[in-house]
Amino acid sequence: MSPMPALLVVALAIALRVVWVLLVPTKPVGDFAMYLESAAYLAEHHELDPEFIFMPGYVLLLTPIQILGGGWLAAKILGAVIGGLGAGAVYGIARQLWDSVPVALVAGLMCALWPAGIAIASVTGTDMPAAVAIAGAIYVLVRLANERPTLAAILFGVMMGIATWIRAVALPLTVLSVFFLRARSESWKGAVARAGLACLAALVVLAPWVVRNQFRYGETVLTDSHGGLTALVGANPDSDGTYSRSLNRMFKEATGYTVLGEPHRAVDRKAYELAREWTIFSPMYALGLVVGKAERLLDNERALLYWPLYRAGVLRDGKKQTFDDHRRQLETVVDWFWRLLIGAGLVGLAVAGTQQRWELLSFVPMQLALIGLYAAFFAEARYHLPIAFLLFPAAGGALVWLAEAPRRLWRERLLREVVSEVMVGAVVVAGVFLAWPCVTAAGESWRETHRWAVHVCRAEGKARLCKWYARVGGPDQSPLVGVWNGLGLALGRQPVGAETELVLPGGTYRIRAAVDQAPLSEGALKGSASFSAGDAVGKPIDMAEIDRASRVGDTVPVEIEVEHPGGPLTVRFEAQLDGDEGPGTRIWLGELEVTAR
């Protein structure tokens, strides 16, 4: 088998990415800048930054560049080369699974020409290196599994261990090699044994990191100290599971821990604890969040253009304006390529099923596992890169199959087989593309109906997290929205309200809060709001008073006193408008404080 086609695919992929890097001088920001800063710290101090809680593989890769005096451009060139090698891995996987050079060429060229894959070459992150390492591991597995299955399993495990050094999500995927090994006509016993050998090899590669963690934290930690914090971000009802800086403040005030500060293991465990608590508080909202995170992961690739092109500050004004002028066209190209990849990939998997190519289908569990992990924890579009790499071989097979179908019908008279493959492919594609909008719509409905809010409040002199759920509101939409120090109720023509529970010992308590409105309504508000706790009901709060105070940047203080026998104390906040003025604004309750008398 000549290596020339593969080398040409890799050369094209690297050339396109290097040219993009040179033409688009993106300034790394956010996480991407953090990796460069961490590499500089490691080069200077010979140890990781005390606030570094991630897997260190990519930082270790960047550190020699820092030592040699390289900057952003050198790091991005390295990333461009790594991304180009991914096209070679795709070529090799397709060549082995389809036993076809044309399929391998189509799959490899699709990866080389992948618009979003080229675009993110101008940022510096862990996503592409980890995805390429996973694709490389799979290539080694499929390349050697027939001739030397034991060596294939060991090398696969080594490569997955390297991928885990970059992103921890690679580690649980190692065990899923059992499906490919079983599909290669091994017994389940042999497949499980070799998959176990792969896992052992991955753990051996991770051993230095595990030893470091044992000395650093006094406990055995296979990966990083970041999973709990990631899960907490993904469970945040105030931001619909997206990152929000206010969560850092809320976490610090309620727990006393800083997100990136010491002690890392305790911080991560506390974050896991809160994430579980928030998930259990409203299971239907949590299920809606899972769907929403899966949607962010898979729905489109235009989000991949944000970091290299459209985030504020990443490009100079001249370059930024050029890409702003063509944003709609660029996003259209990127999204349609992604739809083509998904559609062709599904057809390829369907064809593989009808042709009993079980080896190609055996990697679907890895893709599903990645979707499940990211949907359960936290998701962004750039996290789907490993999923995309595994789609390219199937997509290449589908496009070649479509090109060859007329010849098979005309020359080989394979009408029954071709029709069967067409029907199965059509059913799979139609099923996914029709079901997906229904699933995402259901997820959005669950989120809107069961939305709740969490914020920092104070009770008995200590900060804690108050969790509110809608008590009064429309049948299909919760009126609640949360911010770090309070909650808002969307005003409408129906009464709205929410309540929370504070567990307190018996005694007399004074409860204070502040009320305002935002955004300001066009006309003067008419109506009232009420604030109550247990059996104590505060005097009605005139909406007109809230309106006047809000227009001068002030708030209306509220206070009630309650005799509490001990246990859960229910605190309620309700509002109702008189007339039609006001819908579109929110009434806010903040600075909630409970003190014992």
Side-chain angles (χ1 to χ4, degrees), residues 576-596:
Q576 182 172 7
L577 289 176
D578 296 334
D580 293 334
E581 297 291 344
T585 190
R586 293 183 185 274
I587 184 169
W588 295 85
L589 177 79
E591 302 175 24
L592 180 62
E593 184 176 5
V594 181
T595 55

Side-chain angles (χ1 to χ4, degrees), residues 468 502 508-514 529-541 557-563 569-573 589 592-597:
W468 295 76
L502 296 171
T508 303
Y509 293 94
R510 180 175 295 161
I511 305 176
R512 299 185 180 92
S530 64
F531 185 57
S532 60
D535 296 329
V537 179
K539 66 177 183 179
I541 313 163
V558 294
E559 180 178 316
I560 55 175
E561 192 171 284
V562 58
E563 293 284 344
L569 174 65
T570 301
V571 179
R572 306 177 190 86
F573 181 50
L589 177 79
L592 180 62
E593 184 176 5
V594 181
T595 55
R597 290 193 60 188

